Amino acid sequence: MSNDPIHQFQISKLIPLDFNGLDLSFTNSSLFMVATVTAASGFLVWATSGRGLVPGRMQSIAEMSYEFVASTLRDAAGTQGMKFFPLVFSLFMFVLVANLFGMFPYFFTVTSHIIVTFALAMLVILTVIIYGFWKHGLHFLGLFVPSGVPGALLPLVVLIEVISFLSRPISLSVRLFANMLAGHITLKVFAGFVTSLSALGAVGIGGAILPLAMAVALTGLEFLVAFLQAYVFAVLTCMYLNDALHPGH
Amino acid sequence: MFISNAWAEEQSGAHSSTDGATHTETGAVHDAGHGGVFPPFDPASFASQLLWLAITFGVFYLLMARIAIPRISSILEVRRDRISQDLDEANRMREEADAAHAAYEHELAEARKNATAIAQKANDEAKAAAEAERQKTEAGLAEKLAEAEARIAGIRAKALGDVDEIAAGTAETIVKELLGGTVTKADLAKAVSEAAKQGA
């Protein structure tokens, strides 16, 4: 069981809750969601509590994350996009901290479950759709009709645009989920090689050096992926929100 | 997807049996979904994950939107204001310094000009005084010279007059000694003046 690379994604109920056959138990996943939110908001609130004119280290980190997300959003969606800043910042911080928590041994990775990433992606897409229709009415559908396309090609282009729009929540959620899942499985597999090879005696211990080096390298890579995927999620969110703000291509 | 399907197919029998068991054993802590479905694709955990994600992310969003973001943005704004204020202050001070420098330069140029003027004036005055003194002295000298010349001329004329007289006396004596005769004074004077004319 300890070498089963899938075991780390197991959901286990900590406080079983059942509503008319609907299982709403507080699980290890829920625990790590709470931990993620507590750590992220606790850090941001605590680090900025000094309100220093000259920031300390912790306040610098909080300000840097703020400025980082703000500049990403401003670049992608303009100044108008700043009304979505709390959403984008929350998504970025939540995904980032959840991913980084997943790097601790024996910790559960919240973002390694497709339902979580899909729910976050749907939150983004529904925000885009609802805001788009609320702000632009039916003009929002102009998103699917790029200007300057010859009439004969237009139906095909519109079809492609619609398909690409519908695939957004799927690509957005699967990208994050698959990255976290694959990374953790790979890490686990290589770490498993180390233990199973070293059980074979002196030759095995010598042979275990290679997968151990791989596991170390992969750990570094996974930290990069944890950050990068949170960033990619935030950037794509900004780009999709830009469509809601400016539907005309 | 591919893995999960294969996994699900392989374990479908086991899963359905545990699924039945799950419902009968509600309440008891057991590893539901451990029966075989690849955990991330196990729909049994979806409802719970969605609920807790909604709760935690909702709380997180509120904390960010109400506390963290306004606080950080106010910190950044205060800093930006402070920096621009300080820059304005610095600019103002620099302008003041420039103005003071310009005033100083102006004063200095003025003072230089005044100094030149004063020096010039003093120089001119000194020159004028010296000139006046010189002229006065020259005038005095010229007067004395003229006086002296007049005196010399007087003395000379007197001396010349005496010379005629002496010459006449001498001539009379000589004539008397040599010729034994007498000569009238008028003749003597006439002869002396003629001789003086010829000698001259």
Side-chain angles (χ1 to χ4, degrees):
Chain A
M1 179 57 75
S2 62
N3 272 351
D4 177 11
I6 306 300
H7 179 70
Q8 58 181 319
F9 305 113
Q10 209 71 57
I11 300 274
S12 54
K13 294 177 189 178
L14 302 175
I15 305 168
L17 296 168
D18 199 311
F19 289 98
N20 300 324
L22 194 61
D23 178 22
L24 298 175
S25 307
F26 188 84
T27 61
N28 54 348
S29 168
S30 318
L31 177 68
F32 278 96
M33 286 176 192
V34 172
T36 297
V37 167
T38 310
S41 49
F43 172 76
L44 287 171
V45 170
W46 168 74
T48 58
S49 59
R51 290 168 189 268
L53 191 63
V54 178
R57 285 179 210 184
M58 293 301 137
Q59 193 182 321
S60 272
I61 294 172
E63 284 174 14
M64 268 163 62
S65 52
Y66 178 100
E67 300 263 30
F68 179 67
V69 177
S71 70
T72 305
L73 181 57
R74 211 177 288 122
D75 289 349
T79 329
Q80 287 170 290
M82 291 311 282
K83 61 165 74 78
F84 293 113
F85 182 70
L87 175 69
V88 179
F89 187 69
S90 305
L91 279 170
F92 175 74
M93 290 308 290
F94 185 85
V95 172
L96 177 66
V97 176
N99 288 353
L100 290 177
F101 261 36
M103 291 309 297
F104 285 96
Y106 298 105
F107 276 28
F108 183 84
T109 315
V110 172
T111 43
S112 68
H113 275 244
I114 183 91
I115 189 67
V116 172
T117 61
F118 187 71
L120 294 175
M122 283 312 288
L123 176 66
V124 172
I125 298 300
L126 287 176
T127 307
V128 168
I129 292 173
I130 291 168
Y131 182 81
F133 276 115
W134 175 70
K135 191 79 182 172
H136 303 285
L138 288 176
H139 287 293
F140 179 61
L141 293 175
L143 181 65
F144 303 118
V145 189
S147 55
V149 175
L153 277 174
L154 201 56
L156 184 66
V157 171
V158 168
L159 185 68
I160 292 171
E161 289 282 339
V162 170
I163 292 172
S164 92
F165 186 84
L166 292 177
S167 66
R168 278 176 182 181
I170 298 165
S171 67
L172 190 59
S173 55
V174 168
R175 183 180 299 110
L176 175 58
F177 152 73
N179 266 287
M180 298 321 292
L181 184 84
H184 282 73
I185 290 177
T186 318
L187 206 52
K188 183 81 180 188
V189 166
F190 276 100
F193 280 159
V194 178
T195 51
S196 49
L197 276 174
S198 51
L200 298 176
V203 181
I205 290 172
I209 288 170
L210 203 62
L212 179 63
M214 276 300 286
V216 171
L218 277 170
T219 307
L221 181 71
E222 278 309 297
F223 273 106
L224 178 71
V225 168
F227 170 76
L228 210 60
Q229 287 306 317
Y231 176 62
V232 166
F233 199 94
V235 167
L236 289 171
T237 301
C238 293
M239 287 169 61
Y240 298 160
L241 288 169
N242 183 42
D243 284 346
L245 289 157
H246 316 286
H249 274 262
Chain B
M1 279 299 185
F2 172 72
I3 299 169
S4 80
N5 284 345
W7 194 280
E9 268 173 43
E10 197 185 307
Q11 308 284 343
S12 60
H15 177 242
S16 59
S17 65
T18 43
D19 219 28
T22 307
H23 285 293
T24 53
E25 295 173 23
T26 43
V29 180
H30 54 82
D31 39 353
H34 200 240
V37 183
F38 184 52
F41 293 127
D42 180 10
S45 70
F46 283 4
S48 145
Q49 292 204 65
L50 283 176
L51 173 76
W52 288 102
L53 178 67
I55 293 171
T56 52
F57 190 75
V59 169
F60 186 61
Y61 180 86
L62 283 178
L63 284 172
M64 291 298 104
R66 294 278 160 81
I67 301 174
I69 290 172
R71 189 184 283 183
I72 297 175
S73 73
S74 87
I75 290 172
L76 294 176
E77 209 160 297
V78 164
R79 183 176 309 145
R80 206 176 298 127
D81 286 355
R82 177 66 189 271
I83 287 170
S84 68
Q85 195 184 315
D86 284 1
L87 280 178
D88 287 352
E89 181 79 5
N91 270 332
R92 196 181 59 72
M93 283 180 165
R94 198 182 56 194
E95 271 164 22
E96 263 175 26
D98 283 353
H101 184 70
Y104 163 77
E105 287 284 347
H106 181 76
E107 287 286 315
L108 194 66
E110 196 93 320
R112 274 212 188 101
K113 215 164 68 186
N114 285 347
T116 318
I118 288 166
Q120 187 69 41
K121 201 175 149 204
N123 199 11
D124 287 354
E125 271 172 8
K127 260 185 191 163
E131 183 73 12
E133 189 71 20
R134 190 172 65 82
Q135 272 172 6
K136 206 172 129 197
T137 314
E138 265 176 12
L141 283 174
E143 203 177 302
K144 275 179 186 163
L145 197 66
E147 219 170 82
E149 268 174 1
R151 213 169 67 216
I152 290 167
I155 291 166
R156 197 169 153 213
K158 199 177 151 213
L160 279 175
D162 289 349
V163 165
D164 280 0
E165 210 170 296
I166 293 163
T170 312
E172 192 185 0
T173 313
I174 292 169
V175 167
K176 209 187 274 178
E177 290 285 322
L178 288 178
L179 302 176
T182 52
V183 184
T184 62
K185 275 213 174 160
D187 286 341
L188 277 172
K190 194 178 159 204
V192 167
S193 67
E194 264 174 22
K197 253 178 212 164
Q198 277 168 5

